[in-house]
Amino acid sequence: MKNDDKASISLKKIICISLIFMLIMTVGVMAGNVTFRNVKIVLASGYEMNVLTSKTNVSEILDENHIILLDDEKVVPDLDSELSDNKTIKISKMSEEEIEAADVVETSEEITAEEILKNYDTIVEKIVVKKVKIPYETIKKNVASEKGAKQDRIVQYGVDGLKEVTYKIKYQNKKEIEKKEISSKIIKKPVNKIVEVRNKQTVTTRASSGPRVSYASGKWSYSEAELDLLCAITAQEASSSYNASLAVITTACNRAASSRWRYNGTDPLSQYKAPGQFCYSIDSHWVRRLNGNYPAHVKQAVIDALNGKRNHNYLSFRSAGCASGVNIGGNVYFNAM
């Protein structure tokens, strides 16, 4: 081999060795710039493991060590946090309250595109007029002396009032989303119910057989039980409508004011109880209607009649088809000869 060839091979060896040396030095420098940490990971089971890592993010450290959080587990610090000063990652089970809270957050985030678009649907605004009932108040007056037994007596029946209320209502997707009252007008004022607490009076045997009724200024008043009985009898005779019920109680009121029928009594309930006249003495079907088992319009009709309202001047009635006269709610009203 010639001297020139030997020199060339030696030069190549020197260059290769130099490159290898430089590569080793570069890797060493790079490795020297990386900081490794000894991190403790405490699993939910209580098992502790120590790992050596150059990572600082909790999620990356767990991924690096193939640790996956279950749905009912939590980690401190949380997954997006950097490693804390104590270099400890703790995994534990969540409480029931924490699981429920997490479910609520997850559910609230599941909003479809359709639901989002609904929020941009057209809002329709309407002016709506409604009739609203004004409840009557009950006023109780004590007019009794301190001695003796007491009893309540209704001296004025309560009647609900009525008002007309105008609302501005906003609708979206046919659903009411806002309702605002803009005006109101009273159509009928309520009439307060007045109850007097009186001394209980001792009555004769004859008087005790009839209703304990008081009459003043064209109005009758009864006890609650007697009013319930009046309504039950009225409902049994006619309960299809307010006018039908008012016509029945009007007949009893007309008879109480008529000299021809006063032998049966001078108040509507006495007329109802007269033998062979109304359903009270004919059958017992009215009993099932006691204790408020009748439509509200029946009670309203009875109260209105006791306060002086009438819808005819007749003294008798029969079922339609059994007599000739004026038909009101299925009964024919007339004045018997």
Side-chain angles (χ1 to χ4, degrees):
M1 182 179 292
K2 295 180 180 181
N3 291 333
D4 291 341
D5 292 335
K6 289 180 180 181
S8 177
I9 292 171
S10 297
L11 181 60
K12 288 179 179 180
K13 287 181 178 180
I14 292 170
I15 292 171
C16 287
I17 292 170
S18 298
L19 289 173
I20 291 170
F21 179 76
M22 290 175 65
L23 179 63
I24 292 172
M25 289 297 294
T26 302
V27 171
V29 170
M30 291 176 64
N33 290 333
V34 176
T35 302
F36 288 89
R37 297 173 180 79
N38 191 9
V39 177
K40 180 192 289 186
I41 301 176
V42 182
L43 302 181
S45 62
Y47 178 77
E48 297 182 4
M49 56 186 297
N50 292 301
V51 298
L52 189 65
T53 180
S54 61
K55 309 287 186 184
T56 60
N57 180 266
V58 172
S59 178
E60 292 178 354
I61 296 172
L62 295 181
D63 289 342
E64 185 180 53
N65 291 277
H66 310 292
I67 297 173
I68 300 173
L69 287 181
L70 301 178
D71 291 339
D72 62 345
E73 291 180 339
K74 63 179 180 179
V75 61
V76 178
D78 59 49
L79 292 173
D80 297 327
S81 299
E82 296 297 309
L83 195 62
S84 59
D85 292 339
N86 62 8
K87 298 181 180 61
T88 300
I89 299 173
K90 185 175 182 180
I91 300 172
S92 60
K93 294 286 184 182
M94 289 192 291
S95 65
E96 292 184 5
E97 291 79 7
E98 289 174 320
I99 293 174
E100 289 178 0
D103 289 341
V104 169
V105 172
E106 184 176 350
T107 303
S108 65
E109 292 175 351
E110 295 175 358
I111 301 174
T112 64
E114 183 180 356
E115 290 173 330
I116 295 173
L117 290 174
K118 281 183 179 180
N119 292 327
Y120 293 94
D121 282 355
T122 303
I123 295 176
V124 179
E125 188 174 276
K126 295 182 179 180
I127 301 299
V128 179
V129 179
K130 294 183 178 181
K131 290 184 178 179
V132 181
K133 181 176 71 174
I134 307 174
Y136 66 82
E137 297 181 1
T138 299
I139 300 173
K140 204 162 190 177
K141 298 179 179 179
N142 189 351
V143 296
S145 60
E146 295 182 0
K147 296 181 180 180
K150 309 291 191 300
Q151 66 178 8
D152 289 349
R153 175 69 60 189
I154 301 173
V155 296
Q156 178 174 287
Y157 291 99
V159 180
D160 290 329
L162 193 66
K163 65 179 178 179
E164 194 175 75
V165 183
T166 303
Y167 298 99
K168 181 166 68 176
I169 304 177
K170 291 182 180 179
Y171 299 90
Q172 189 177 41
N173 303 317
K174 297 181 179 179
K175 292 183 179 180
E176 182 181 307
I177 60 172
E178 183 179 302
K179 182 178 181 181
K180 188 179 295 183
E181 180 179 329
I182 56 178
S183 67
S184 65
K185 179 177 67 176
I186 294 177
I187 300 174
K188 183 177 71 173
K189 292 182 178 180
V191 177
N192 291 333
K193 178 180 179 180
I194 300 176
V195 179
E196 287 186 352
V197 181
R198 301 177 178 177
N199 289 100
K200 200 168 187 178
Q201 296 179 348
T202 304
V203 295
T204 63
T205 303
R206 181 180 177 185
S208 63
S209 62
R212 297 188 302 275
V213 60
S214 63
Y215 181 79
S217 302
K219 299 179 181 180
W220 283 285
S221 63
Y222 294 90
S223 67
E224 291 285 359
E226 289 166 341
L227 177 63
D228 185 58
L229 177 57
L230 276 164
C231 293
I233 297 171
T234 302
Q236 184 59 33
E237 294 286 4
S239 62
S240 60
S241 67
Y242 171 84
N243 280 330
S245 300
L246 181 60
V248 171
I249 186 66
T250 290
T251 302
C253 293
N254 290 346
R255 286 188 176 190
S258 171
S259 57
R260 287 180 53 195
W261 292 92
R262 286 208 168 186
Y263 64 90
N264 285 332
T266 58
D267 68 281
L269 186 54
S270 295
Q271 293 290 336
Y272 269 174
K273 289 184 173 183
Q277 296 302 312
F278 293 86
C279 65
Y280 179 84
S281 61
I282 298 173
D283 57 52
S284 59
H285 296 313
W286 54 270
V287 175
R288 65 187 177 184
R289 298 180 180 274
L290 290 171
N291 301 315
N293 292 316
Y294 38 76
H297 65 254
V298 173
K299 185 174 183 179
Q300 190 64 59
V302 170
I303 290 174
D304 288 349
L306 296 178
N307 284 329
K309 186 173 182 177
R310 307 285 183 269
N311 64 347
H312 66 76
N313 295 316
Y314 299 105
L315 298 168
S316 300
F317 67 88
R318 293 284 186 275
S319 297
C322 298
S324 59
V326 178
N327 191 319
I328 305 176
N331 289 324
V332 173
Y333 292 82
F334 57 94
N335 285 325
M337 298 300 293

